[in-house]
Each structure stands twice: as C-alpha cells, then as structure tokens.
Amino acid sequence: MLIDGSMIMSGFVSKVINEIVDIPGNPIKNAIKKADKDRKAKNQNIETRIYQVIIDAIKEFTKGTYKSEDILYDATEMIINGFISKKENIEAVKTGLKMLELQITDNKCEDFLGTLCDEICKDENDILYKEIVLMQHQQTLREIHKGFEENTRNQGTALEILEDVRGDTKFIRERFDNNVEHCSELQIRNRADEYAEKWYKNVFLNNFSERDENAGINVKLKDIYLEEQLPHYIWKKNKKISYDLRKLLTEHVVEKSGKKMLLVLGQPGIGKSTLITWMMANFEEKKDNFLVYQFASDLKCVNWQGDNILSQIFEMLNLKYNELENKVLILDGFDEIHASSDREGILNKLNHELARIRNFTNFSLIITCRENYVYKVQRLECDFITLQVWDDNQIRCFCEAYGKESGKDISTSKMDKLLDNKEVFGIPLILYMVLALGIAIEKSESLVEVYDQIFSIDRSSIYDRCIKNSRYDGEHRISEDKIKQAIHQISQTIAFWIFENNSEKALIPQKEYKTICDSVINQISYVDKGVKRDFLIGNYFKIVKHCEGIGTQELHFIHRSIYEYFVVVYFFESLQNQTTKEEVAGKLGELLKKGELSLQILEFIKCKFDNIKQYSLSDFTKESFQMMLQDGMTYYMKGKYKNIIEREMNIFANMLRVVHVWNPQLGKLDDNIALYLQYNTTITLDLRGADLRGANLRGANLSLVDLSEADLRGANLSQADFMAANLSEADLRGADLRGADLSIAYLKETIFDEKQVELLHEKCNFWQSKVFIPKTDEIIIYRDYCARKQNS
C-alpha cells in the first residue's frame, strides 16, 4: 500500500519527534555518528534508520561535495532539531543545509525534502517506510472511529462498522506486508523479445495443432498486418487525420534527437499493443535499443501519486541512467494501473521529469493507453496521438489479406455490412474475430452487440469452435447446448473473480480456474472433465507459464475488452431476476463490494442494460443508491462480510460511477452522502454535478475527487483537502473555505464570491491552482487580484 510524498514526510517527522530523545551528556550527534559507523550491526532500529536516511539524503543532495563527516553529522543534528522543534519542514532543513555553506533557497530545501523522501522509500529502509505507512493508516482508523461515534450514533450499521475497525487494521497490515515483500522480490525482465516473437506467431483464432485431423489453417500476424494496416492517427488536438505513422515512429526510434515522450491513445482492440510488435519487426536494426514493459504486470509498486515517478520506474525496472542513452522505453497499458482520476497530471509529471534529467541526451519514452482514460487531453503537455479505426481501404485490404491466407472468401454483401459500420468493424480485433469465426453480421451497432454474437449460446459462435474437435458419444452430443452453457458460465465467473481479485493484471491462477470449472459444471448437472479442455480450445484464453516470469501457471483472456465484456455479462445475468429496488440494492452491493469499475466496463453496462426488458436499471440505480445512502451500502446484502468499512466505501465509489452512467449530473442525493465523504481516505470519487449545498464536509479528504459543476454553496469546507481535485465550474459561493487546501486544484470557471477570494489569498494553500475564469462580473479574477495586491 503506497502513500504520497507529503504523507511520507509527515509520518517521518512524527517518527523523529516520537523516537529521538536528546539525553544530557549523550548528544544526538554521538548517536548519529554511531548509527552511521555501525550500519551492518544487527540491532538496527527506527532511530538509527532515521539518522542514516538523513545522512544519505545529504550525501545524495550534495553529490558527495562535502567529505568531512563531522560537518555532515552537525547538519543532520540541526535538521533533526528543526523537526523536533516543530518548525515547518522547509525551515527545519534550511538551518542544517546552511551549515554546508550552500546558497540555500526555499526551492533547494524542497528539492532536499524530495531527496529525503526518495531515501525513505528505498528497499533498504523498508522497515522505516512500513512503520510510517502503518502509523498513517492507524491514525486514519482512529479518526474514522471517532467520526462514527460522533455522527452515526443512530445509524443501524454503526456498531457493526465499529466492531470491524480492528479487523480492518489487521487487514491493512497484512496487505501492506505482502505488498512490500512482493515488490522487494520482483525480478522484472525486458519484454521486447516477447512482443517481437508475436510477429511470427499464429494469430489466436488461427493457431491450430498440425496433428489435429480437423485443424484449420494457421495464419501468422506478419502475413495479415501489412504496411497498409498501420492505423491513421490524429496529432494532439488537431481536427484532420494524419497518415504518416511510420514516419512519426521513425522519428522516435531511428532518427531521434533529444529526449522525447509520445503518448499513444486508442480504443480497445484498435491495435496499440500490436503496434509495439510492428515496431519490433520493422525497426529490427534498433532491436537492442528497445525496452518494453507493461504497467499492470511490471510497475504495480510505483507510487503514482508521489514525486519523481520516472525515477521510481527506472529503479523498479533496474534501469541505470548511464545505460539509457539512445534507448526507447515503451510502457504498454497506462489505463491498467490503479491510479487516481488525474492521469493527465501523472503524464505531465513524467514529461517534466524526463526534460529535467541530464544523465542522457537521446532517449524516447512511448506510452500506450486507452483514449477514454485520458479525457482531459487539453491538459496534456506531452506529445500524443489518437489512433483511428480503419477506413474503407484498410478494411478491404485486411479482408483480402486474411482471405488469401485462410482460404476464406468474404462475400460482397458481408463486405458491404462491414463498411457500413466502420466504428465497430474498423476495430482490428473485432474485424479479425468476425472473419475468423465466420460470424453472421446482424444488428451490430456496438462492441457489446458484436461480442453478444461472438459469444452466443443460441446460435453459431465461438463456442461451436470450442467443441468442434471434441469426441462425445451420442448421449453427450445431445448435450451440446449444456456444454456451451457451461463454457459461457465459466467465462463469466472467471471474469468476475478477476474483477474482484486481480483486475490490474487480469490473470487468474490455474487453481482458481479449476475450482470455478468444477463448481459451474456441478451447478448445471453436467459433469464431464472434458469441458475444462473444451473451454480452452476456443483460443480466447491464454495460459501464462512458469517460464514467462511468474510463480504459477495462470490464465488470462486474450484481450482485456473480452474480460470486461464477461464481467458485464455476469452482472447482467445476476440482476435479471431482481425486480424490486431492495433486491437490486442488495445485488449491486454484492457485485460491487471489491472490484473497481473501469470506464470500459461502465460503457458496456450502459449498452447491455439499456436493452433489458424486466425493468430499467437507469431508473433503479439512483433510487437504489438513495436507499443505500440512507441505510448503508451493505444493509440490503444477504451475507456478512469482513472489513466492512472497506466494503462500504468501495460500494459507495462504484455506485457513484454506475449512477453517472445514466445521470451525467448527480443532483441532490440523501444527506448521508456527506457522511461517506467525511470517511473517505483513499478512494477517488466521481461527484460531477452533485448538489452538496450546506453539507458539512469539514476536514474531508476530497483530493483528486471530480467535483466539476458541483453545487457547494454554503457548505462547510473548512480544513478540507482539495489537492488536485477537479472543481471546474463548481459553485462555492458562501462556502466556508478556512484552512482548505486547494493546491494544484483545477479551478477553470469555478465560482467564488469576493470575500472568498480575499480569504483564499490570505489563508488557503492556493498558489499552484489554475486561474479560474468567473461566470459573473461581480467575482474578482484571481490573477488580476494578485497583481493588484502585489502592486499595492
């Protein structure tokens, strides 16, 4: 469990104050010197670690300029004394740094604090880091405990929640211990060869065993992904489409000069990962320069909310600065990380940090991401492109190439239908699956509808492919529908397991897979071990083996969008028989208690549930959410669950996302929403258009929360944390903002009254926020206000 730099420093200072005592006759300097000399001693403790990280931070910060150990110990002692006397962090370190005869400014002090934070986060200091994290979370739980005592005395679920605080503390400690241990043992390898090999391999639905008498025709990627198939793209915020992707990539791989960063955006199945494979094959002379990694699998321990993110990435991947000259670092799947809603801010940090690094001069950073995960592209400061669906010529070209290799003819009528809906069939993955499976194109206005046909039980689909080569006797042959049903149910259940337990990597261990298979087969009264084998014959699953760098064999869907589709199918079938708002509320709680709904899953939910006949989920969701706010997110669930606070908050965050699917503006919700906002500690929330007039949100953690167009008039927002929150077009007139932290908040067209602007200037942490553009003349524009203030 990772925390940001400000929390690390806050916890570190608390540790300094609590752990270090200046004993008469035994000055702190003596203890500092002893700790530095005895670094290999077995009796290391938190106090010695504190001394050592400060010394190491000074050495790193001064680049070894000061060799005299005594002056380093003196500087360390002064910094510690500054912390103990509870000075502001900058002032605390300034006195010690001045002893080194440096020209010390506040900016340099901030840089030193960043260096100190990096030292604390290093593997060798994991004991100190863990203590800081646990202290932060225990403090959070104490505040939650106190808050529930004061504000939820009459809540039906309050006693149950309070009883589980101890369990939550144990859960946090266990999860943190496991995470630290896992991250310290990671051996991450360059995946360039893995991507390159795909160029010469069979594509997944044309990958047959040659020994199978019913084998189809194998087709390699290199034979159907021709130069013409390179996607067209839109450069940054241009309107026109560009057609020179090879030239653009050449500039980043072959002819690069300087340090460059390129973000490659595109919808699911558009070919972002395939483009990496194409680069491996078509820039083969530069193959030794490629460094390829995946966000979800290789960078899961990076603190995306912290500082020096690129340095963290290099350290995680064991990449040395002096080895990166002329290299191309490709990071695949930025959308798959568990990060805040401010992905644009993370990308901007990476861009800024790359520009500051002086250890190399020629270097390219290429990142791929689904386009709807970066929806505020106007805030991006790096170069970016958005890949486009294939046009008529590209669709025809691919169909001809595939037909030639596979021996399949594509009829004129089918070609016409493909071209009529380029928004769907211009997605390479979908076009390939439709051609390879011979899917009849009927009503296919969306990706969900195409997947409904590909994974249909009632008609010809991929499931026929699954059982095509199976040899059943007559009795079993009659049960083909049950076989299809079993495979369909297995896919759903596996997807839901991944959603709840491993959504970042989207993998399931073989052991869990086999357990699910057995359970599903028993449920449908058809027991045959061959179904497990048949399930994999369809080739829309891949086995990840020991040799691929993990400790156990695992399975994953061939494409993330297929996994997300089956999650929604699981939801759909779970909710079909729920007819009352209470039943819907209970089932939604069970479905949303652990996982986090992605944007693609939400899009699939809307498409799938808009066609439901029994009731309108769009009407039910907001009404059910109101009931859940009144009575508790878990109140209508049938079972009992551990870690109830985490469950409550996870359901709350997911329900906000679901309600937004059909309600772009939240509007007025039950007053208990303020209670949940008070207790939010880590989850980023979507509160667009929420009516929170007069709400008591004193001290609430609203950092990174989307409050765009929210109505916060008259709300108590004193001491609230709005760091990096989106407050664009929000109305804060009359709200109490005393002590609120608005640093790096997004404030475009945020509405304040004149008195608030005065307060923001004098009292609030407002200096790094965006300048807002008021909607009415009576509001002072902050930029002009500051200018007049300075002149006067």
Side-chain angles (χ1 to χ4, degrees), residues 31-83:
I32 295 170
K33 183 182 296 187
K34 187 175 186 300
D36 190 34
K37 300 295 184 184
D38 299 338
R39 288 181 180 251
K40 294 184 180 181
K42 294 183 179 179
N43 60 341
Q44 300 288 335
N45 55 33
I46 298 301
E47 180 183 353
T48 59
R49 291 292 187 188
I50 289 171
Y51 299 144
Q52 290 162 5
V53 296
I54 296 177
I55 293 169
D56 292 342
I58 293 175
K59 289 180 179 178
E60 174 66 23
F61 184 69
T62 60
K63 306 298 182 186
T65 303
Y66 296 90
K67 304 298 182 183
S68 170
E69 292 177 344
D70 273 342
I71 195 170
L72 293 179
Y73 299 149
D74 289 334
T76 301
E77 182 179 30
M78 292 299 294
I79 290 171
I80 288 172
N81 287 334
F83 288 142

Side-chain angles (χ1 to χ4, degrees), residues 556-607:
H556 68 85
F557 288 89
I558 200 70
H559 194 269
R560 180 170 282 264
S561 65
I562 298 176
Y563 145 67
E564 290 165 322
Y565 166 77
F566 275 115
V567 171
V568 174
V569 172
Y570 186 91
F571 288 177
F572 183 78
E573 299 199 1
S574 298
L575 285 162
Q576 269 195 318
N577 297 322
Q578 316 303 316
T579 56
T580 68
K581 290 188 286 291
E582 290 78 8
E583 289 175 338
V584 170
K587 184 56 68 174
L588 285 171
E590 292 173 17
L591 295 171
L592 304 176
K593 64 185 181 295
K594 284 184 69 177
E596 179 180 338
L597 294 172
S598 69
L599 293 175
Q600 187 64 63
I601 288 176
L602 291 168
E603 288 183 14
F604 283 173
I605 284 174
K606 187 174 191 315
C607 291

Side-chain angles (χ1 to χ4, degrees), residues 224 226 228-229 392-402:
I224 57 175
L226 310 178
E228 294 88 340
Q229 307 315 132
D392 288 10
N393 291 333
Q394 289 176 305
I395 291 174
R396 285 196 184 94
C397 177
F398 181 82
C399 289
E400 291 171 3
Y402 180 76

Side-chain angles (χ1 to χ4, degrees), residues 189-236:
R189 62 184 179 83
N190 182 5
R191 296 177 183 268
D193 288 341
E194 175 186 325
Y195 278 80
E197 289 168 1
K198 293 178 183 178
W199 188 247
Y200 302 97
K201 287 187 175 181
N202 299 326
V203 284
F204 68 99
L205 292 176
N206 289 89
N207 184 26
F208 300 95
S209 170
E210 295 179 357
R211 294 182 176 84
D212 194 328
E213 63 183 26
N214 295 315
I217 297 175
N218 288 331
V219 176
K220 292 180 169 54
L221 179 62
K222 70 180 183 65
D223 295 324
I224 57 175
Y225 196 88
L226 310 178
E227 185 83 12
E228 294 88 340
Q229 307 315 132
L230 270 181
H232 306 320
Y233 67 94
I234 292 179
W235 172 260
K236 300 180 80 167

Side-chain angles (χ1 to χ4, degrees), residues 291 314 320-327 360 362-363:
L291 304 166
F314 290 157
K320 309 299 183 185
Y321 284 111
N322 59 3
E323 299 172 351
L324 293 176
E325 187 70 30
N326 292 317
K327 298 295 184 183
F360 44 77
N362 289 318
F363 178 83

Side-chain angles (χ1 to χ4, degrees), residues 305 338-342 596 649 652-654 656-657 680-687 701-706:
Q305 309 312 323
H338 184 73
S340 72
S341 58
D342 186 30
E596 179 180 338
M649 291 306 302
F652 172 67
N654 276 324
L656 282 173
R657 298 178 184 113
N680 178 47
T681 56
T682 59
I683 301 175
T684 57
L685 303 173
D686 188 345
L687 293 167
N701 177 12
L702 297 169
S703 62
L704 301 165
V705 171
D706 191 343

Side-chain angles (χ1 to χ4, degrees), residues 518-700:
D518 291 338
S519 174
V520 170
I521 292 168
N522 291 335
Q523 286 175 17
I524 64 172
S525 303
Y526 179 78
V527 181
D528 190 294
K529 295 181 180 179
V531 172
K532 297 179 187 179
R533 178 194 66 237
D534 299 331
F535 172 67
L536 297 174
I537 293 173
N539 284 350
Y540 61 97
F541 260 82
K542 179 185 175 184
I543 298 178
V544 182
K545 303 185 178 182
H546 295 279
C547 59
E548 295 183 277
I550 59 174
T552 182
Q553 288 195 7
E554 297 180 299
L555 289 168
H556 68 85
F557 288 89
I558 200 70
H559 194 269
R560 180 170 282 264
S561 65
I562 298 176
Y563 145 67
E564 290 165 322
Y565 166 77
F566 275 115
V567 171
V568 174
V569 172
Y570 186 91
F571 288 177
F572 183 78
E573 299 199 1
S574 298
L575 285 162
Q576 269 195 318
N577 297 322
Q578 316 303 316
T579 56
T580 68
K581 290 188 286 291
E582 290 78 8
E583 289 175 338
V584 170
K587 184 56 68 174
L588 285 171
E590 292 173 17
L591 295 171
L592 304 176
K593 64 185 181 295
K594 284 184 69 177
E596 179 180 338
L597 294 172
S598 69
L599 293 175
Q600 187 64 63
I601 288 176
L602 291 168
E603 288 183 14
F604 283 173
I605 284 174
K606 187 174 191 315
C607 291
K608 192 75 175 171
F609 282 89
D610 274 347
N611 296 322
I612 198 169
K613 296 179 180 178
Q614 289 87 337
Y615 60 87
S616 172
L617 191 66
S618 60
D619 295 333
F620 266 34
T621 49
K622 194 166 184 179
E623 295 175 28
S624 297
F625 189 37
Q626 294 278 30
M627 294 166 46
M628 295 161 84
L629 284 171
Q630 293 168 18
D631 303 320
M633 297 290 126
T634 57
Y635 180 79
Y636 295 96
M637 293 163 59
K638 294 180 181 179
K640 291 185 177 180
Y641 298 93
K642 295 181 179 179
N643 309 310
I644 196 67
I645 294 175
E646 186 177 19
R647 302 288 173 259
E648 284 274 330
M649 291 306 302
N650 205 76
I651 297 168
F652 172 67
N654 276 324
M655 282 301 298
L656 282 173
R657 298 178 184 113
V658 172
V659 171
H660 267 303
V661 168
W662 290 282
N663 303 274
Q665 302 295 312
L666 278 181
K668 183 64 177 174
L669 294 170
D670 187 87
D671 289 343
N672 277 345
I673 190 172
L675 199 62
Y676 283 90
L677 298 181
Q678 285 280 7
Y679 302 143
N680 178 47
T681 56
T682 59
I683 301 175
T684 57
L685 303 173
D686 188 345
L687 293 167
R688 287 171 290 159
D691 185 345
L692 295 168
R693 284 175 292 178
N696 180 13
L697 298 174
R698 175 182 172 82

